[in-house]
Each structure stands twice: as C-alpha cells, then as structure tokens.
C-alpha cells in the first residue's frame, strides 16, 4: 500500500535520513544528503579526500569511452594518488601505481584502492561520524520535525484517508 505520493504507507515505513545512515556506510553513501553531512564531518577531521576519492571512483566506473576514461583516470590519479596530489589519499600499493596505467584505463582499475578507502571510512571515520555533533544534531532536528504538530496533523489526515 502506498500513500498519495507513491511512498510506502506507515505500516511498511522505510527508513530515511539519519536512521538509514546509521544502519550502514553503504546507505549513507547512497544518499546525497548523507554524503553532504559526512563530508562536512570529514572536513573537520581533515580527511574529506577519502569520501571524495570514493565518489570519484564510483563516477569513474560509469564513464563511457576510452578518451573520457583516460581523462577521468588521469584526473583521479593527479588529484588523489600522485605524490604531488592536492588531496592525496593514504592507500597501500600507491607507490607502485604509475602514470603508465592511465594509458589503458578500465572501469575497475581503482577498485582495490577504493575498497581500502571504503574500509578505512567504515571502520574508522564512519563510527566517529555516528557519535559526532554533526550527526546527532541533524538527527535531533529530524526527530523534532517528525514530532511537530504539522507532521502529526498530516499523519492523522493520512491515516483517516487510508483507514476508512
């Protein structure tokens, strides 16, 4: 059963916002709003480059055409992996990566490094994010919105409509 906007009705309510982000890093990274708040947190920890690298790799996997792949691969390399990178990520095997790999790019060429960064975020910064003021304040404001008289009135109207 869906409500008027195509969302599941309250009996099968899906998690959203901070509730969904708190279930897994994957859920957080699938939500643009979650990514925004996570980036904000990582900026304060001086490790925003991790999520930016992860996002760049996700985008890279969708790239079509050899020329575009070469350009994007070079951009990722120069931004995150080169010894002169402006937002260098700290990954194992980085020193063995050379610019020659950029000549023959393929969608999964950064996968091992992306997985390392994902695990670093998952087992390090993600757990701190869930305890951070940024997350907790956002969670609190979400709860206040849900419990506001306007939200309750809308819910009552919806339940009257669907319970008749």
């Amino acid at each position: 059963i869906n409500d008027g906007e195509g969302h599941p009705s309250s009996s099968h309510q899906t998690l959203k916002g901070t509730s969904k982000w708190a279930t897994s890093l994957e859920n957080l990274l699938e939500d643009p709003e979650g990514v925004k708040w996570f980036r904000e947190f990582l900026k304060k920890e001086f490790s925003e480059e991790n999520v930016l690298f992860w996002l760049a790799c996700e985008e890279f996997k969708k790239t079509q055409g050899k020329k575009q792949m070469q350009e994007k691969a070079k951009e990722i390399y120069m931004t995150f992996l080169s010894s002169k990178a402006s937002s260098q990520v700290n990954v194992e095997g980085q020193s063995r990566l050379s610019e020659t790999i950029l000549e023959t790019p393929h969608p999964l060429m950064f996968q091992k490094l992306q997985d390392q960064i994902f695990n670093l975020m998952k087992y390090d910064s993600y757990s701190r994010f869930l305890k951070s003021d940024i997350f907790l304040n956002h969670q609190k404001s979400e709860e206040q919105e849900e419990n506001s008289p306007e939200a309750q009135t809308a819910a009552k109207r919806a339940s009257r409509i669907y319970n008749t």
Side-chain angles (χ1 to χ4, degrees):
I1 300 173
N2 287 332
D3 64 15
E5 295 170 28
H7 302 292
S9 66
S10 58
S11 61
H12 298 329
Q13 194 64 49
T14 54
L15 291 176
K16 54 187 182 200
T18 54
S19 303
K20 190 173 182 182
W21 307 343
T23 59
S24 72
L25 178 58
E26 290 88 340
N27 285 340
L28 172 74
L29 293 173
E30 285 172 6
D31 182 349
E33 185 73 8
V35 170
K36 183 183 109 178
W37 290 102
F38 191 46
R39 277 184 66 182
E40 206 52 44
F41 169 74
L42 291 176
K43 272 184 199 171
K44 292 180 186 225
E45 294 224 326
F46 304 102
S47 60
E48 182 188 20
E49 68 278 358
N50 290 336
V51 74
L52 293 177
F53 173 72
W54 189 89
L55 291 166
C57 291
E58 285 299 290
E59 197 58 39
F60 177 74
K61 290 175 194 174
K62 300 173 195 165
T63 305
Q64 301 292 314
K66 187 177 180 191
K67 184 94 178 111
Q68 287 87 343
M69 269 190 148
Q70 282 176 322
E71 288 169 9
K72 273 202 188 256
K74 185 174 173 89
E75 188 181 319
I76 289 172
Y77 179 82
M78 297 311 281
T79 306
F80 301 105
L81 301 170
S82 152
S83 59
K84 301 176 194 101
S86 54
S87 300
Q88 192 175 31
V89 289
N90 188 9
V91 286
E92 276 180 45
Q94 189 173 354
S95 56
R96 290 192 301 270
L97 266 186
S98 71
E99 287 187 56
T100 56
I101 66 161
L102 304 176
E103 299 307 313
T104 55
H106 59 87
L108 300 177
M109 66 188 282
F110 297 118
Q111 190 63 54
K112 274 186 175 171
L113 302 177
Q114 185 186 14
D115 291 345
Q116 282 182 40
I117 291 298
F118 179 84
N119 286 328
L120 179 69
M121 292 189 300
K122 183 175 183 172
Y123 297 109
D124 186 35
S125 35
Y126 173 66
S127 54
R128 284 198 309 279
F129 170 69
L130 295 178
K131 297 172 191 158
S132 72
D133 288 344
I134 289 177
F135 177 80
L136 297 173
N137 291 337
H138 189 64
Q139 188 177 44
K140 201 178 293 176
S141 69
E142 254 184 17
E143 288 167 5
Q144 287 169 347
E145 281 175 30
E146 286 173 14
N147 296 327
S148 72
E150 297 85 27
Q152 289 174 354
T153 305
K156 283 180 189 169
R157 272 197 315 270
S159 70
R160 273 201 310 271
I161 293 167
Y162 293 107
N163 293 329
T164 51

